[in-house]
Every structure is written in C-alpha cells, then in structure tokens.
Amino acid sequence: MAAHEDRSIRVRDVMSKQVFTVSPSDTAQSVARLMEEAEVGALPVEAPGVGTILGIVTERDILASVVAQGLSTSTAVFEFMTVSAEYCEEEDSILLAAQKMHEFKIRRLVVLDEKKHAAGIISLADITRASPELGGLVLEGMSRQEPQSHALEGASICQA
C-alpha cells in the first residue's frame, strides 16, 4: 500500500473502539485484573468525573515499575503511569499515528474524540492489519538502536 493510500485511512476506521479507562487512584492489581479480563495491554488513565485523559498505564509499566521494583500490588496507578501519554485523534490518518509510534518508540496510542475524551486505542497491530508495509516500517524503526530521524523512511510527513 502506498503512503498516499495510508493518508486516506483514518484512525477511527482501524482503532479498537471498546475502551476501558482507569482512575489514577486505582491499584496495580485492579488494573492488571481489568487488563486480563478485557484482553488489553494498555488502559488510558482518566480524571474521575471529568473524563480528561491524564496518561496511560501498560502491562510493561506494571512489570517494570511495580513487580520488578518489589512494590505492593496496592500501589496506586498515579505512582507508575505514563503521564501525558502521546495520543492521536479519530480523524487523524494512520500514517500520522504510525509516525508518532515510530518517533516515540511506542506500540499504542490513546485515541481522543472531539471532546478530548478517550474514544479508543490504536495499536501497531491495528495499523499493520490496515497497511502491512506501514506497520513494518514502524516496527523496523523501533528495533533500531542508532538515533533515528523523526520521520518514517519512505513516507512523507502528512498533516492530519
């Protein structure tokens, strides 16, 4: 699939629309249980009663920041979450989402709606299903050790 075709595919067309959110005061154990039940690897962290996304918590966050450090399973999410996580919007192209993943070496982005509330999650796997070539470029760039330019090789910068 050519880069110009990737621009026409919108994040909303390939993202996971069923999104569960957690509160910064939830525990590592409750978040891990929800991830297991929902079969997801990341959850947006939402300000209770407001709906604003404060960050994201991933399986890796729980493993590296709680389990590996010997912290209690009752450790609150705010102590180990990624604050102000990268995000994209429903109307963004998958090329723009892929560029963010490549630049920040991440595999998931929270998708926000027009009110800046969580509308879903887009993963590298979602992008790869829609465009195997684009997904491969992102994965290849993530696995390199040397410093990278902030654009995907073979893809031009696009505006949402």
Side-chain angles (χ1 to χ4, degrees):
M1 183 176 293
H4 70 279
E5 293 173 14
D6 297 333
R7 283 192 198 121
S8 65
I9 302 171
R10 298 290 160 206
V11 166
R12 71 174 160 358
D13 299 327
V14 300
M15 71 182 193
S16 299
K17 293 175 178 74
Q18 185 174 15
V19 63
F20 298 92
T21 60
V22 295
S23 164
S25 61
D26 286 340
T27 67
Q29 184 174 28
S30 68
V31 170
R33 281 185 181 152
L34 179 56
M35 286 179 178
E36 177 68 21
E37 290 169 10
E39 298 180 350
V40 297
L43 294 166
V45 181
E46 182 179 65
V50 180
T52 304
I53 299 302
L54 304 172
I56 191 168
V57 62
T58 66
E59 292 170 323
R60 180 162 170 64
D61 292 331
I62 294 170
L63 285 172
S65 299
V66 179
V67 177
Q69 301 299 320
L71 299 179
S72 168
T73 57
S74 64
T75 301
V77 167
F78 73 84
E79 294 185 49
F80 61 90
M81 69 184 221
T82 301
V83 179
S84 301
E86 290 302 317
Y87 66 89
C88 61
E89 298 180 357
E90 292 176 297
E91 295 303 314
D92 289 345
S93 69
I94 64 167
L95 179 57
L96 182 62
Q99 287 171 333
K100 285 185 176 189
M101 289 178 184
H102 177 267
E103 179 177 351
F104 296 103
K105 295 188 182 298
I106 55 177
R107 294 176 181 263
R108 299 173 188 95
L109 289 168
V110 176
V111 181
L112 301 180
D113 63 18
E114 65 281 350
K115 295 178 182 175
K116 303 296 183 202
H117 296 141
I121 298 273
I122 186 167
S123 68
L124 179 54
D126 296 328
I127 290 173
T128 302
R129 275 191 293 278
S131 172
E133 180 184 357
L134 184 57
L137 286 170
V138 174
L139 192 56
E140 179 183 316
M142 294 172 104
S143 63
R144 291 187 185 159
Q145 297 300 318
E146 69 272 5
Q148 295 291 301
S149 67
H150 292 300
L152 289 173
E153 292 175 22
S156 58
I157 300 295
C158 71
Q159 300 299 319

